[in-house]
Amino acid sequence: MSNVLTRAAVTAAAALLATTGASVGATQASTLPMAPTCRVADLDLAVGDPESAGGSINYPILFTNTTGRTCALRGYPGVSVTDARHHQIGTSAIRTGEAISTVSVFPDDTVTAIMRTNSRSASRSCRPVSTYVKVYPPNSPTAEEIRYNLRVCGMFEISPVEAAG
């Protein structure tokens, strides 16, 4: 009788393990993005036209997919400003704390992240004007420097990447 109980216990444990493993595998697979992560080489990066909003200025960072395949971006880009000798001016932009999502970037499509600082009239503490805006796309160890003259005054924030609206 103990042999029958042992076999039943082993069979039940194996069934439970197989079911749990399959369940975990299915959950992990469903959370993976369908498209590979966009690399710097896949993207054309640019700073769009600024917009003033209540004492601050919003600068869209444009991520345009230049490949023939869809890729994905998720999260916040790393952003700083640098001088003509490529030395960082002040601290990097801080994250706004907004929720993130995975954004599919189709071929020739553009998504954005918003870089925000105060206008000169709203803040007396301004950094020297930059020569470049240095951008690390989300989850990228590689940055691109975009030639752009930007004066950061007071706050310096970056939003997560989102589909262009």
Side-chain angles (χ1 to χ4, degrees):
M1 183 104 154
S2 68
N3 232 359
V4 172
L5 290 176
T6 303
R7 280 190 205 147
V10 168
T11 303
L16 179 62
L17 183 59
T19 304
T20 305
S23 171
V24 169
T27 301
Q28 290 171 344
S30 68
T31 60
L32 294 176
M34 298 306 264
T37 299
C38 301
R39 301 170 300 140
V40 170
D42 301 333
L43 301 167
D44 177 44
L45 299 175
V47 177
D49 294 332
E51 292 183 14
S52 295
S56 64
I57 306 172
N58 298 328
Y59 298 86
I61 298 176
L62 310 172
F63 301 82
T64 302
N65 183 348
T66 59
T67 70
R69 62 178 175 74
T70 300
C71 59
L73 291 172
R74 178 179 177 80
Y76 288 85
V79 177
S80 59
V81 292
T82 60
D83 63 20
R85 294 176 15 181
H86 306 280
H87 295 127
Q88 186 168 319
I89 304 168
T91 59
S92 300
I94 61 169
R95 295 175 175 186
T96 59
E98 297 171 59
I100 63 171
S101 62
T102 301
V103 179
S104 293
V105 190
F106 300 100
D108 299 319
D109 208 8
T110 300
V111 298
T112 63
I114 303 299
M115 180 173 53
R116 182 176 300 118
T117 188
N118 292 113
S119 63
R120 283 186 83 170
S121 61
S123 177
R124 296 190 189 267
S125 64
C126 295
R127 302 177 192 181
V129 175
S130 73
T131 304
Y132 302 96
V133 174
K134 186 174 187 176
V135 178
Y136 288 87
N139 303 306
S140 174
T142 308
E144 182 174 320
E145 285 188 303
I146 305 163
R147 184 173 281 281
Y148 194 84
N149 299 120
L150 176 68
R151 182 179 300 274
V152 172
C153 294
M155 72 159 171
F156 187 37
E157 297 180 330
I158 186 67
S159 74
V161 173
E162 57 188 26

